[in-house]
Amino acid sequence: MDAVVPRSAFLWSLSLVYLLVFSSLYLQVPVRLAGLWETPSLLGLDGSHVMELLCLVGALLALGAATLAPLSGSLVFFALWAIYFSLSQLLSGPASSRRHDPMTFWLTRWLLFRLTFGSGVARLAGHSAPWWNLSAVSHMLESQVSPTPLAWWVSQLPAWVLQLATVGVLVSQVLVPLLYFAPIHCLHLGAFYIQLVYQVLSALTGSLTPLSLLTVALSFSLLDTEHLGGSCFGHAKKKRATSWLQTLVWLLTLLVELGVYVLILYITTRLFQVDVNWEAKTISSHTAFTQQQFGDVLKVTMGPTIWIAVLSLTWEVVGALLSSLCVRGCFWKLWALLQWAVFAAATVAMFAISVVPYTSMEPWSSGNVLPAVKRAHEWVKPYRLVSSYALDRRLDPAPGRPELVLEGSMDQYTWTEIHWMYKPGNVSAAPPVVAPYEARLEGLMWRAAQGQAQDSAWFSGLVLRILQGNKQVERLLQTDQAQYVFSEAPPAYLRARLYKYQFTQQDGSGPQWWRRAFVKEFLPMVHLEDQELQAILRGHGLNEKSLPQSSPTDSVLAQVLGRLRGHAESLPGPYVQWALLATVATICILKCLLPRGPGGRACGTSPVEPKAKKPKSQAASTGPQADRDPAVERSPKRRK
């Protein structure tokens, strides 16, 4: 499979993900509510401003990788990984096609398989009632981190439609991933579009997240240059004449593809008992297998999926070897074989290590992994090179979403709610559209609502900062200080109450968005001198002195970073990221509209030295025969 263009599309998409992640983190980095983790990090090389500097460097490198071909090489992406790895502990030359690219790019497809298949298995193996009674989509629409206004409209659909949507999610993540390693490229193409449609619908109803973008980027590994359309990435598609034999093969392939999809449809109707009621114009469905049966099937199929992946990887390794043997010249052939050996060893080692977290979903299969492979996995585990990627979405059987509401008061009697930019609060306000921004603090509040106040060190620090009137924290709650109710003076008292939010039902008068019911007092009333708050802070090893304090400095770097942050803080995070995406889109459009640079040469190519002028006697002989092979010219037959 030709992976030149899909590889370019994957790297371009990955650079956009890095751009969004670094810019999102930069806009929220000033507030550090707890201590730093003692793990390997580049941040130990400099002072307090290095975190901001790394975010800016990472965003600039990602912007360059998305727009400039010389910056889309392996060294740049290694630097992006190193910067992101370093930051996550606190919360080369131009790219070209190589003979070993299909072999190493195969790991991207294997990662996509583990991500999608592992997520589907985790949803069923997690004993979550909404997934088994097929009401998960209805729950997810309102219980996810950042629901959109479109999620409200989708929630108004009939229950049987949302049940079918749940069936579609499970099929796309349990059955369809088995097609990723099929020998027919048409099946890869179908699996790609199924995954793309699912991610687009998820993004429209739940805000676009870096995980959705990463999944789409990984999905490019299912394509080849012919299907993706090489002209967009500098590889024009050549028209080839088709013979009757090629047409026959195409028809047979089409029949096999249709047969596979019919088989998937048949299995789906049997597993989920999909029945059509033509009179009522509805479709009923329910799960026709038990958790014990699912576990038995998973135990049987886990091993074969690994061996199918081994065969697929072997095919790519052998293909790369044959390609290296076809290189002309003894030296270049040896050099190509050396490269093949190095990258083949690295690919096989990475695959072997990834088998350990993959088999962790099924205890019996995990016990069959070689001890040496497990030891290697433990050695690289601190660097997060591999993971199970099983997104266990355990949903509360009860409808709705728990939501924390902070209330402030100046006199202990009159309480005013503190509204956030990117999370539900006011029941009359539409759900905010956050995409593609990742509101980290709102996400933490969403998780904290499912636990206790005493369990979250950052939540205690957040309460203290609000009582102190910390401006950086206030800007995370509301960029426009006029929208923050305590912008003039911080509240003297603060409390947190837990509510259960639910989408309303359409009544013909327009959407009312939310309704809520009080659940309990999450955090009782506290103030700066409150002994209970001080006890909670001491329990986490925190106090007012231990929390990070901003230390002004007169260095040039600090002044530059301060001015940049002053401009960035005046804009909401989504606006900044959409501006960055618009910049990337504008550059890409200009590159497509202006394919040639000054002097008539293609953009991104190095200038070629002008050829020396030939004498007139030699110029007369130039023409279609001027490019003859010198070896042919010297042959005896040619001289005759």
Side-chain angles (χ1 to χ4, degrees), residues 25-43:
L25 184 58
Y26 171 75
L27 294 173
Q28 304 173 76
V29 80
V31 180
R32 289 170 289 164
L33 303 176
L36 305 181
W37 285 264
E38 295 180 358
T39 49
S41 174
L42 296 178
L43 297 181

mmCIF file with all atom_site columns, all heavy atoms in Angstrom, residues 25-43:
data_model
loop_
_atom_site.group_PDB
_atom_site.id
_atom_site.type_symbol
_atom_site.label_atom_id
_atom_site.label_alt_id
_atom_site.label_comp_id
_atom_site.label_asym_id
_atom_site.label_entity_id
_atom_site.label_seq_id
_atom_site.pdbx_PDB_ins_code
_atom_site.Cartn_x
_atom_site.Cartn_y
_atom_site.Cartn_z
_atom_site.occupancy
_atom_site.B_iso_or_equiv
_atom_site.pdbx_formal_charge
_atom_site.auth_seq_id
_atom_site.auth_comp_id
_atom_site.auth_asym_id
_atom_site.auth_atom_id
_atom_site.pdbx_PDB_model_num
ATOM 1   N N   . LEU A 1 25 ? -2.921 25.061 26.322 1.00 0.00 ? 25 LEU A N   1
ATOM 2   C CA  . LEU A 1 25 ? -2.200 25.020 27.589 1.00 0.00 ? 25 LEU A CA  1
ATOM 3   C C   . LEU A 1 25 ? -1.566 26.372 27.905 1.00 0.00 ? 25 LEU A C   1
ATOM 4   O O   . LEU A 1 25 ? -1.529 26.793 29.068 1.00 0.00 ? 25 LEU A O   1
ATOM 5   C CB  . LEU A 1 25 ? -1.130 23.925 27.535 1.00 0.00 ? 25 LEU A CB  1
ATOM 6   C CG  . LEU A 1 25 ? -0.341 23.681 28.831 1.00 0.00 ? 25 LEU A CG  1
ATOM 7   C CD1 . LEU A 1 25 ? -1.277 23.320 29.963 1.00 0.00 ? 25 LEU A CD1 1
ATOM 8   C CD2 . LEU A 1 25 ? 0.688  22.577 28.613 1.00 0.00 ? 25 LEU A CD2 1
ATOM 9   N N   . TYR A 1 26 ? -1.081 27.073 26.874 1.00 0.00 ? 26 TYR A N   1
ATOM 10  C CA  . TYR A 1 26 ? -0.457 28.381 27.108 1.00 0.00 ? 26 TYR A CA  1
ATOM 11  C C   . TYR A 1 26 ? -1.448 29.374 27.699 1.00 0.00 ? 26 TYR A C   1
ATOM 12  O O   . TYR A 1 26 ? -1.109 30.165 28.583 1.00 0.00 ? 26 TYR A O   1
ATOM 13  C CB  . TYR A 1 26 ? 0.097  28.921 25.795 1.00 0.00 ? 26 TYR A CB  1
ATOM 14  C CG  . TYR A 1 26 ? 0.565  30.359 25.882 1.00 0.00 ? 26 TYR A CG  1
ATOM 15  C CD1 . TYR A 1 26 ? 1.755  30.686 26.523 1.00 0.00 ? 26 TYR A CD1 1
ATOM 16  C CD2 . TYR A 1 26 ? -0.205 31.384 25.350 1.00 0.00 ? 26 TYR A CD2 1
ATOM 17  C CE1 . TYR A 1 26 ? 2.170  32.004 26.620 1.00 0.00 ? 26 TYR A CE1 1
ATOM 18  C CE2 . TYR A 1 26 ? 0.198  32.703 25.441 1.00 0.00 ? 26 TYR A CE2 1
ATOM 19  C CZ  . TYR A 1 26 ? 1.391  33.009 26.078 1.00 0.00 ? 26 TYR A CZ  1
ATOM 20  O OH  . TYR A 1 26 ? 1.788  34.310 26.173 1.00 0.00 ? 26 TYR A OH  1
ATOM 21  N N   . LEU A 1 27 ? -2.694 29.336 27.215 1.00 0.00 ? 27 LEU A N   1
ATOM 22  C CA  . LEU A 1 27 ? -3.692 30.286 27.693 1.00 0.00 ? 27 LEU A CA  1
ATOM 23  C C   . LEU A 1 27 ? -4.120 30.013 29.127 1.00 0.00 ? 27 LEU A C   1
ATOM 24  O O   . LEU A 1 27 ? -4.735 30.874 29.767 1.00 0.00 ? 27 LEU A O   1
ATOM 25  C CB  . LEU A 1 27 ? -4.923 30.244 26.777 1.00 0.00 ? 27 LEU A CB  1
ATOM 26  C CG  . LEU A 1 27 ? -4.686 30.726 25.342 1.00 0.00 ? 27 LEU A CG  1
ATOM 27  C CD1 . LEU A 1 27 ? -5.921 30.471 24.497 1.00 0.00 ? 27 LEU A CD1 1
ATOM 28  C CD2 . LEU A 1 27 ? -4.322 32.209 25.322 1.00 0.00 ? 27 LEU A CD2 1
ATOM 29  N N   . GLN A 1 28 ? -3.824 28.812 29.649 1.00 0.00 ? 28 GLN A N   1
ATOM 30  C CA  . GLN A 1 28 ? -4.259 28.454 31.003 1.00 0.00 ? 28 GLN A CA  1
ATOM 31  C C   . GLN A 1 28 ? -3.092 28.130 31.926 1.00 0.00 ? 28 GLN A C   1
ATOM 32  O O   . GLN A 1 28 ? -3.310 27.675 33.045 1.00 0.00 ? 28 GLN A O   1
ATOM 33  C CB  . GLN A 1 28 ? -5.184 27.232 30.936 1.00 0.00 ? 28 GLN A CB  1
ATOM 34  C CG  . GLN A 1 28 ? -6.375 27.440 30.022 1.00 0.00 ? 28 GLN A CG  1
ATOM 35  C CD  . GLN A 1 28 ? -7.193 26.181 29.820 1.00 0.00 ? 28 GLN A CD  1
ATOM 36  O OE1 . GLN A 1 28 ? -7.948 25.792 30.699 1.00 0.00 ? 28 GLN A OE1 1
ATOM 37  N NE2 . GLN A 1 28 ? -7.032 25.542 28.676 1.00 0.00 ? 28 GLN A NE2 1
ATOM 38  N N   . VAL A 1 29 ? -1.870 28.372 31.478 1.00 0.00 ? 29 VAL A N   1
ATOM 39  C CA  . VAL A 1 29 ? -0.714 27.926 32.233 1.00 0.00 ? 29 VAL A CA  1
ATOM 40  C C   . VAL A 1 29 ? -0.369 28.778 33.446 1.00 0.00 ? 29 VAL A C   1
ATOM 41  O O   . VAL A 1 29 ? 0.289  28.290 34.356 1.00 0.00 ? 29 VAL A O   1
ATOM 42  C CB  . VAL A 1 29 ? 0.515  27.836 31.296 1.00 0.00 ? 29 VAL A CB  1
ATOM 43  C CG1 . VAL A 1 29 ? 1.120  29.195 31.064 1.00 0.00 ? 29 VAL A CG1 1
ATOM 44  C CG2 . VAL A 1 29 ? 1.542  26.868 31.845 1.00 0.00 ? 29 VAL A CG2 1
ATOM 45  N N   . PRO A 1 30 ? -0.782 30.064 33.548 1.00 0.00 ? 30 PRO A N   1
ATOM 46  C CA  . PRO A 1 30 ? -0.318 30.859 34.689 1.00 0.00 ? 30 PRO A CA  1
ATOM 47  C C   . PRO A 1 30 ? -0.788 30.325 36.030 1.00 0.00 ? 30 PRO A C   1
ATOM 48  O O   . PRO A 1 30 ? -0.127 30.540 37.045 1.00 0.00 ? 30 PRO A O   1
ATOM 49  C CB  . PRO A 1 30 ? -0.909 32.250 34.422 1.00 0.00 ? 30 PRO A CB  1
ATOM 50  C CG  . PRO A 1 30 ? -1.225 32.269 32.984 1.00 0.00 ? 30 PRO A CG  1
ATOM 51  C CD  . PRO A 1 30 ? -1.594 30.872 32.638 1.00 0.00 ? 30 PRO A CD  1
ATOM 52  N N   . VAL A 1 31 ? -1.938 29.664 36.063 1.00 0.00 ? 31 VAL A N   1
ATOM 53  C CA  . VAL A 1 31 ? -2.495 29.232 37.335 1.00 0.00 ? 31 VAL A CA  1
ATOM 54  C C   . VAL A 1 31 ? -2.045 27.804 37.616 1.00 0.00 ? 31 VAL A C   1
ATOM 55  O O   . VAL A 1 31 ? -2.388 26.884 36.903 1.00 0.00 ? 31 VAL A O   1
ATOM 56  C CB  . VAL A 1 31 ? -4.038 29.286 37.291 1.00 0.00 ? 31 VAL A CB  1
ATOM 57  C CG1 . VAL A 1 31 ? -4.603 28.834 38.619 1.00 0.00 ? 31 VAL A CG1 1
ATOM 58  C CG2 . VAL A 1 31 ? -4.486 30.694 36.959 1.00 0.00 ? 31 VAL A CG2 1
ATOM 59  N N   . ARG A 1 32 ? -1.248 27.652 38.650 1.00 0.00 ? 32 ARG A N   1
ATOM 60  C CA  . ARG A 1 32 ? -0.834 26.322 39.099 1.00 0.00 ? 32 ARG A CA  1
ATOM 61  C C   . ARG A 1 32 ? -1.279 26.194 40.547 1.00 0.00 ? 32 ARG A C   1
ATOM 62  O O   . ARG A 1 32 ? -0.693 26.792 41.448 1.00 0.00 ? 32 ARG A O   1
ATOM 63  C CB  . ARG A 1 32 ? 0.676  26.153 38.959 1.00 0.00 ? 32 ARG A CB  1
ATOM 64  C CG  . ARG A 1 32 ? 1.131  26.042 37.510 1.00 0.00 ? 32 ARG A CG  1
ATOM 65  C CD  . ARG A 1 32 ? 2.639  26.131 37.419 1.00 0.00 ? 32 ARG A CD  1
ATOM 66  N NE  . ARG A 1 32 ? 3.108  27.483 37.695 1.00 0.00 ? 32 ARG A NE  1
ATOM 67  C CZ  . ARG A 1 32 ? 4.367  27.778 37.973 1.00 0.00 ? 32 ARG A CZ  1
ATOM 68  N NH1 . ARG A 1 32 ? 5.256  26.826 38.036 1.00 0.00 ? 32 ARG A NH1 1
ATOM 69  N NH2 . ARG A 1 32 ? 4.723  29.019 38.204 1.00 0.00 ? 32 ARG A NH2 1
ATOM 70  N N   . LEU A 1 33 ? -2.320 25.421 40.747 1.00 0.00 ? 33 LEU A N   1
ATOM 71  C CA  . LEU A 1 33 ? -2.985 25.389 42.046 1.00 0.00 ? 33 LEU A CA  1
ATOM 72  C C   . LEU A 1 33 ? -2.376 24.392 43.003 1.00 0.00 ? 33 LEU A C   1
ATOM 73  O O   . LEU A 1 33 ? -2.769 24.314 44.151 1.00 0.00 ? 33 LEU A O   1
ATOM 74  C CB  . LEU A 1 33 ? -4.474 25.065 41.852 1.00 0.00 ? 33 LEU A CB  1
ATOM 75  C CG  . LEU A 1 33 ? -5.195 26.048 40.930 1.00 0.00 ? 33 LEU A CG  1
ATOM 76  C CD1 . LEU A 1 33 ? -6.619 25.606 40.729 1.00 0.00 ? 33 LEU A CD1 1
ATOM 77  C CD2 . LEU A 1 33 ? -5.142 27.438 41.512 1.00 0.00 ? 33 LEU A CD2 1
ATOM 78  N N   . ALA A 1 34 ? -1.441 23.586 42.557 1.00 0.00 ? 34 ALA A N   1
ATOM 79  C CA  . ALA A 1 34 ? -0.809 22.595 43.429 1.00 0.00 ? 34 ALA A CA  1
ATOM 80  C C   . ALA A 1 34 ? 0.666  22.542 43.103 1.00 0.00 ? 34 ALA A C   1
ATOM 81  O O   . ALA A 1 34 ? 1.163  23.261 42.245 1.00 0.00 ? 34 ALA A O   1
ATOM 82  C CB  . ALA A 1 34 ? -1.465 21.229 43.241 1.00 0.00 ? 34 ALA A CB  1
ATOM 83  N N   . GLY A 1 35 ? 1.387  21.662 43.805 1.00 0.00 ? 35 GLY A N   1
ATOM 84  C CA  . GLY A 1 35 ? 2.815  21.548 43.596 1.00 0.00 ? 35 GLY A CA  1
ATOM 85  C C   . GLY A 1 35 ? 3.150  20.851 42.293 1.00 0.00 ? 35 GLY A C   1
ATOM 86  O O   . GLY A 1 35 ? 2.292  20.379 41.560 1.00 0.00 ? 35 GLY A O   1
ATOM 87  N N   . LEU A 1 36 ? 4.451  20.776 41.974 1.00 0.00 ? 36 LEU A N   1
ATOM 88  C CA  . LEU A 1 36 ? 4.912  20.150 40.753 1.00 0.00 ? 36 LEU A CA  1
ATOM 89  C C   . LEU A 1 36 ? 5.250  18.691 41.013 1.00 0.00 ? 36 LEU A C   1
ATOM 90  O O   . LEU A 1 36 ? 5.697  18.326 42.082 1.00 0.00 ? 36 LEU A O   1
ATOM 91  C CB  . LEU A 1 36 ? 6.154  20.881 40.224 1.00 0.00 ? 36 LEU A CB  1
ATOM 92  C CG  . LEU A 1 36 ? 5.992  22.388 40.015 1.00 0.00 ? 36 LEU A CG  1
ATOM 93  C CD1 . LEU A 1 36 ? 7.273  22.966 39.470 1.00 0.00 ? 36 LEU A CD1 1
ATOM 94  C CD2 . LEU A 1 36 ? 4.840  22.690 39.090 1.00 0.00 ? 36 LEU A CD2 1
ATOM 95  N N   . TRP A 1 37 ? 5.013  17.881 39.975 1.00 0.00 ? 37 TRP A N   1
ATOM 96  C CA  . TRP A 1 37 ? 5.353  16.463 40.086 1.00 0.00 ? 37 TRP A CA  1
ATOM 97  C C   . TRP A 1 37 ? 6.859  16.282 39.955 1.00 0.00 ? 37 TRP A C   1
ATOM 98  O O   . TRP A 1 37 ? 7.520  16.964 39.178 1.00 0.00 ? 37 TRP A O   1
ATOM 99  C CB  . TRP A 1 37 ? 4.654  15.661 38.986 1.00 0.00 ? 37 TRP A CB  1
ATOM 100 C CG  . TRP A 1 37 ? 3.211  15.456 39.227 1.00 0.00 ? 37 TRP A CG  1
ATOM 101 C CD1 . TRP A 1 37 ? 2.601  14.393 39.793 1.00 0.00 ? 37 TRP A CD1 1
ATOM 102 C CD2 . TRP A 1 37 ? 2.154  16.366 38.893 1.00 0.00 ? 37 TRP A CD2 1
ATOM 103 N NE1 . TRP A 1 37 ? 1.244  14.572 39.844 1.00 0.00 ? 37 TRP A NE1 1
ATOM 104 C CE2 . TRP A 1 37 ? 0.947  15.773 39.302 1.00 0.00 ? 37 TRP A CE2 1
ATOM 105 C CE3 . TRP A 1 37 ? 2.117  17.632 38.301 1.00 0.00 ? 37 TRP A CE3 1
ATOM 106 C CZ2 . TRP A 1 37 ? -0.275 16.379 39.128 1.00 0.00 ? 37 TRP A CZ2 1
ATOM 107 C CZ3 . TRP A 1 37 ? 0.897  18.235 38.129 1.00 0.00 ? 37 TRP A CZ3 1
ATOM 108 C CH2 . TRP A 1 37 ? -0.282 17.616 38.543 1.00 0.00 ? 37 TRP A CH2 1
ATOM 109 N N   . GLU A 1 38 ? 7.389  15.325 40.678 1.00 0.00 ? 38 GLU A N   1
ATOM 110 C CA  . GLU A 1 38 ? 8.818  15.036 40.610 1.00 0.00 ? 38 GLU A CA  1
ATOM 111 C C   . GLU A 1 38 ? 9.048  13.923 39.591 1.00 0.00 ? 38 GLU A C   1
ATOM 112 O O   . GLU A 1 38 ? 9.269  12.771 39.915 1.00 0.00 ? 38 GLU A O   1
ATOM 113 C CB  . GLU A 1 38 ? 9.338  14.623 41.982 1.00 0.00 ? 38 GLU A CB  1
ATOM 114 C CG  . GLU A 1 38 ? 9.246  15.745 43.020 1.00 0.00 ? 38 GLU A CG  1
ATOM 115 C CD  . GLU A 1 38 ? 9.764  15.308 44.367 1.00 0.00 ? 38 GLU A CD  1
ATOM 116 O OE1 . GLU A 1 38 ? 10.160 14.126 44.487 1.00 0.00 ? 38 GLU A OE1 1
ATOM 117 O OE2 . GLU A 1 38 ? 9.788  16.124 45.286 1.00 0.00 ? 38 GLU A OE2 1
ATOM 118 N N   . THR A 1 39 ? 8.961  14.298 38.300 1.00 0.00 ? 39 THR A N   1
ATOM 119 C CA  . THR A 1 39 ? 9.154  13.360 37.207 1.00 0.00 ? 39 THR A CA  1
ATOM 120 C C   . THR A 1 39 ? 10.065 13.985 36.183 1.00 0.00 ? 39 THR A C   1
ATOM 121 O O   . THR A 1 39 ? 10.285 15.197 36.178 1.00 0.00 ? 39 THR A O   1
ATOM 122 C CB  . THR A 1 39 ? 7.806  13.020 36.558 1.00 0.00 ? 39 THR A CB  1
ATOM 123 O OG1 . THR A 1 39 ? 7.111  14.245 36.284 1.00 0.00 ? 39 THR A OG1 1
ATOM 124 C CG2 . THR A 1 39 ? 6.956  12.149 37.462 1.00 0.00 ? 39 THR A CG2 1
ATOM 125 N N   . PRO A 1 40 ? 10.643 13.180 35.239 1.00 0.00 ? 40 PRO A N   1
ATOM 126 C CA  . PRO A 1 40 ? 11.554 13.734 34.250 1.00 0.00 ? 40 PRO A CA  1
ATOM 127 C C   . PRO A 1 40 ? 10.892 14.830 33.449 1.00 0.00 ? 40 PRO A C   1
ATOM 128 O O   . PRO A 1 40 ? 9.793  14.670 32.952 1.00 0.00 ? 40 PRO A O   1
ATOM 129 C CB  . PRO A 1 40 ? 11.883 12.512 33.373 1.00 0.00 ? 40 PRO A CB  1
ATOM 130 C CG  . PRO A 1 40 ? 11.611 11.339 34.238 1.00 0.00 ? 40 PRO A CG  1
ATOM 131 C CD  . PRO A 1 40 ? 10.492 11.736 35.142 1.00 0.00 ? 40 PRO A CD  1
ATOM 132 N N   . SER A 1 41 ? 11.538 15.974 33.328 1.00 0.00 ? 41 SER A N   1
ATOM 133 C CA  . SER A 1 41 ? 10.945 17.104 32.626 1.00 0.00 ? 41 SER A CA  1
ATOM 134 C C   . SER A 1 41 ? 12.032 18.066 32.193 1.00 0.00 ? 41 SER A C   1
ATOM 135 O O   . SER A 1 41 ? 13.042 18.241 32.864 1.00 0.00 ? 41 SER A O   1
ATOM 136 C CB  . SER A 1 41 ? 9.937  17.824 33.526 1.00 0.00 ? 41 SER A CB  1
ATOM 137 O OG  . SER A 1 41 ? 9.477  18.991 32.899 1.00 0.00 ? 41 SER A OG  1
ATOM 138 N N   . LEU A 1 42 ? 11.786 18.693 31.049 1.00 0.00 ? 42 LEU A N   1
ATOM 139 C CA  . LEU A 1 42 ? 12.690 19.740 30.589 1.00 0.00 ? 42 LEU A CA  1
ATOM 140 C C   . LEU A 1 42 ? 12.581 20.999 31.427 1.00 0.00 ? 42 LEU A C   1
ATOM 141 O O   . LEU A 1 42 ? 13.422 21.882 31.343 1.00 0.00 ? 42 LEU A O   1
ATOM 142 C CB  . LEU A 1 42 ? 12.376 20.091 29.127 1.00 0.00 ? 42 LEU A CB  1
ATOM 143 C CG  . LEU A 1 42 ? 12.592 18.977 28.098 1.00 0.00 ? 42 LEU A CG  1
ATOM 144 C CD1 . LEU A 1 42 ? 12.184 19.472 26.729 1.00 0.00 ? 42 LEU A CD1 1
ATOM 145 C CD2 . LEU A 1 42 ? 14.034 18.511 28.084 1.00 0.00 ? 42 LEU A CD2 1
ATOM 146 N N   . LEU A 1 43 ? 11.522 21.092 32.241 1.00 0.00 ? 43 LEU A N   1
ATOM 147 C CA  . LEU A 1 43 ? 11.304 22.314 33.007 1.00 0.00 ? 43 LEU A CA  1
ATOM 148 C C   . LEU A 1 43 ? 12.344 22.516 34.084 1.00 0.00 ? 43 LEU A C   1
ATOM 149 O O   . LEU A 1 43 ? 12.459 23.595 34.639 1.00 0.00 ? 43 LEU A O   1
ATOM 150 C CB  . LEU A 1 43 ? 9.914  22.285 33.628 1.00 0.00 ? 43 LEU A CB  1
ATOM 151 C CG  . LEU A 1 43 ? 8.766  22.257 32.618 1.00 0.00 ? 43 LEU A CG  1
ATOM 152 C CD1 . LEU A 1 43 ? 7.447  22.249 33.339 1.00 0.00 ? 43 LEU A CD1 1
ATOM 153 C CD2 . LEU A 1 43 ? 8.850  23.428 31.680 1.00 0.00 ? 43 LEU A CD2 1
#
